[in-house]
Amino acid sequence: MSDTDNPSPLDFRGRGVNFIEDVAVNPLFAGPETTATVPQLRIPDLETPADAAYQIVHDEAMLDGNARQNLATFVTTWMDDQSQRIYLQAAPKNMIDKDEYPQTAAIETRCWTMLADLWQAPDPTSSIGTSTVGSSEAAMLGGLALKRRWQERRRAEGASTERPNLVMSSAVQVCWEKFCNYFEVEPRYVPISEDHRMLDGHDLDRWVDENTIGVVAILGVTYTGVYEPVREIAAALDAIAAAGGPDVPIHVDAASGGMIAPFCQSEIVWDFRLPRVASINTSGHKYGLVYPGIGWVVWRDRADLPESLIFRVSYLGGDMPTFALNFSRPGAQVLLQYYLFLRLGREGFRKVQQASLDVAGFLADGIADIGPFELWNHPTDIPVFAWRLRADHPGTWDLHHLSERLRLRGWLVPAYPMPDDLADLTVQRIVVRNGFSRDLAGALLGDIRAQVRYLDSISTPLPRAGHGEFTH
Ligand SMILES: *Cc1c(COP(=O)(O)O)cnc(C)c1O
């Protein structure tokens, strides 16, 4: 969809349907007391029978497409029957009512303590953490803790607390841009290039100074799925501190990798084993395998989370320490996360994630075999990979055309430009998740081959295709 089709980015009313028209009510439900249509943008004057209202909502949601064929998203699209039951049973519980639902609150604490342990905190019982609505909220909290620690240290030194900055790759997820914008921190984006495809610690001394609140390292870059080498980044910061420069902590954005690396690549040292890593976030609703929305953030030690950020609210009879942006939010996802920790154990998680890695590897090999493509990366980190067109491709079609053609078969496989300094490079990306079987992958490969044959059969250059949106 081009920009002109969509006058305001916040306005989705015009998408797909003519929003001026009323919604037609299925004639099966039209009775003497029902009108044949209901308005779209105004609350109807009268009631609609429950069956008819249900059918309208159900049918409209059906037009969203099939979530399981969405290879753009990282977020869970399949859970087992037991999870569905827990979800329904827990639906009325509000996570913030810790006094009313003390067991859900205790389970939340168990979950982040388990994560502190999984991420090898020296003493998980002296770590601190919280659940959030997702990694975005978790990143805001991690960033706020870095900023406040820096401010408190600078004040104690009698130094200025103006102009804090945060150093990260230009390929960070948009939540870090938001953090910097909303909380008034200067973002310092280290550009990626063909030589330095991610933040790898090179020339870091040119980017950090005494106003740097922290460095963000990404375990599973959203654009390509590759891990940034947290150990090398930490070593570069160690060298800067040892030379009398600033002593800068790291926050690891492990939105996806935090639930893959500990199970499938335990030899990679990226977590609390590195003393410089102060805090880590992950998305419970990505490779934590829970439906949206849940995220987690854990600090190595209580001292890494300034006390001045914690609110002690006396609410409905309880003393409740909280550090969160939201107040009310669903409690069900916390219970689902705990269910999965129990149900799968470490070995089960390893098997599930390895199965996704295997399917991703199978798809990547298959795609590399199709003439026009060159892999940007093989899915050796998280089960995500990207590819580009070969330089000698004749140019009658591009990856946006392929993306459009695959949509005809229901597959969502986005094509998008890379971030600075590689913005001229367009890649296409696949995210393999639990539930995307080898069987489905074979069907997708067959469709990619067929669509490439079709596109190759057209000898004149195709008009520019609608540019897909990048799904983070
Ligand atoms: C998905 C993602 C986020 C945002 O996480 P949400 O859970 O969607 O809020 C942040 N960082 C990275 C690296 C991600 O992949």
Side-chain angles (χ1 to χ4, degrees):
M1 175 165 297
S2 75
D3 294 339
T4 46
D5 292 327
N6 196 12
S8 150
L10 295 177
D11 185 356
F12 287 83
R13 286 174 296 185
R15 295 218 165 164
V17 281
N18 178 350
F19 67 84
I20 306 296
E21 274 174 20
D22 292 352
V23 181
V25 174
N26 187 324
L28 274 179
F29 295 102
E33 75 287 12
T34 340
T35 52
T37 60
V38 290
Q40 280 198 30
L41 300 178
R42 198 173 52 75
I43 296 177
D45 294 329
L46 300 175
E47 310 93 313
T48 309
D51 281 344
Y54 169 83
Q55 197 68 40
I56 291 169
V57 177
H58 174 275
D59 289 0
E60 295 226 26
M62 181 183 73
L63 298 176
D64 275 339
N66 179 3
R68 299 274 298 278
Q69 282 184 294
N70 178 356
L71 299 176
T73 186
F74 285 77
V75 175
T76 301
T77 45
W78 182 86
M79 290 190 81
D80 63 13
D81 285 343
Q82 286 79 358
S83 303
Q84 324 266 2
R85 281 187 351 241
I86 292 173
Y87 203 158
L88 275 180
Q89 287 156 11
K93 292 193 186 179
N94 185 349
M95 196 62 230
I96 201 70
D97 294 342
K98 301 197 190 217
D99 206 46
E100 288 70 18
Y101 308 122
Q103 215 50 35
T104 299
I107 285 173
E108 182 197 23
T109 299
R110 284 181 216 166
C111 285
W112 59 251
T113 309
M114 287 177 176
L115 289 173
D117 178 56
L118 183 70
W119 297 333
Q120 313 220 25
D123 175 10
T125 57
S126 68
S127 296
I128 189 158
T130 182
S131 68
T132 60
V133 275
S135 274
S136 300
E137 187 190 5
M140 304 289 152
L141 301 182
L144 278 169
L146 290 176
K147 182 178 174 192
R148 185 61 60 87
R149 267 178 70 198
W150 171 83
Q151 285 170 329
E152 289 182 354
R153 185 165 43 78
R154 298 279 292 172
R155 273 192 206 110
E157 292 166 354
S160 161
T161 55
E162 300 286 306
R163 307 186 58 80
N165 69 68
L166 183 66
V167 173
M168 55 206 154
S169 158
S170 66
V172 282
Q173 210 266 356
V174 67
C175 70
W176 292 103
E177 296 173 43
K178 283 190 186 172
F179 166 75
C180 289
N181 181 334
Y182 296 172
F183 295 103
E184 303 195 337
V185 171
E186 175 204 339
R188 292 202 175 158
Y189 300 115
V190 180
I192 58 166
S193 63
E194 294 275 356
D195 291 338
H196 298 283
R197 291 177 163 209
M198 62 197 111
L199 189 74
D200 56 11
H202 82 282
D203 294 335
L204 210 46
D205 53 346
R206 286 185 13 219
W207 296 89
V208 302
D209 58 26
E210 77 277 5
N211 290 328
T212 303
I213 63 170
V215 170
V216 176
I218 318 168
L219 204 73
V221 174
T222 324
Y223 291 83
T224 55
V226 298
Y227 291 157
E228 290 182 341
V230 188
R231 204 216 295 244
E232 267 102 273
I233 295 168
L237 291 172
D238 288 346
I240 291 169
D247 194 7
V248 181
I250 293 177
H251 174 94
V252 183
D253 179 357
S256 48
M259 295 303 288
I260 302 276
F263 304 114
C264 298
Q265 300 115 358
S266 54
E267 72 287 356
I268 301 178
V269 179
W270 63 275
D271 49 18
F272 291 125
R273 280 171 283 180
L274 300 169
R276 204 164 276 286
V277 173
S279 45
I280 300 174
N281 70 272
T282 200
S283 293
H285 54 216
K286 291 185 177 174
Y287 292 101
L289 309 177
V290 178
Y291 283 141
I294 184 165
W296 299 96
V297 54
V298 176
W299 288 266
R300 156 194 299 279
D301 188 89
R302 286 202 172 83
D304 292 304
L305 176 59
E307 185 64 31
S308 62
L309 285 173
I310 299 176
F311 282 77
R312 298 191 182 275
V313 213
S314 175
Y315 182 63
L316 302 180
D319 171 48
M320 194 181 59
T322 67
F323 180 37
L325 299 182
N326 287 78
F327 193 68
S328 298
R329 67 188 160 84
Q333 279 79 358
V334 168
L335 300 183
L336 288 175
Q337 187 76 80
Y338 188 57
Y339 164 73
L340 282 172
F341 286 162
L342 298 184
R343 160 80 185 82
L344 292 174
R346 287 184 180 225
E347 181 54 16
F349 265 99
R350 190 194 64 72
K351 284 182 182 145
V352 168
Q353 316 297 37
Q354 189 58 49
S356 293
L357 282 166
D358 290 347
V359 169
F362 164 75
L363 271 172
D365 290 342
I367 286 169
D369 271 350
I370 307 176
F373 306 130
E374 182 182 357
L375 294 184
W376 174 261
N377 63 302
H378 205 265
T380 48
D381 296 349
I382 61 173
V384 172
F385 64 100
W387 66 92
R388 53 175 155 185
L389 283 173
R390 284 187 189 286
D392 59 5
H393 182 260
T396 47
W397 57 271
D398 62 24
L399 294 174
H400 295 287
H401 295 109
L402 178 59
S403 184
E404 268 191 5
R405 295 294 306 174
L406 290 170
R407 259 182 193 257
L408 296 175
R409 301 278 299 161
W411 302 113
L412 299 182
V413 187
Y416 50 83
M418 293 282 266
D420 292 341
D421 285 345
L422 291 173
D424 291 339
L425 171 63
T426 293
V427 297
Q428 198 160 11
R429 182 193 69 188
I430 283 180
V431 177
V432 174
R433 299 182 304 279
N434 184 27
F436 194 69
S437 62
R438 178 83 169 231
D439 229 29
L440 289 171
L444 170 61
L445 261 187
D447 283 334
I448 295 176
R449 282 197 206 95
Q451 296 308 334
V452 166
R453 269 198 306 278
Y454 170 82
L455 289 167
D456 278 344
S457 73
I458 301 170
S459 49
T460 49
L462 290 170
R464 189 167 172 274
H467 280 222
E469 278 148 48
F470 176 50
T471 311
H472 288 91

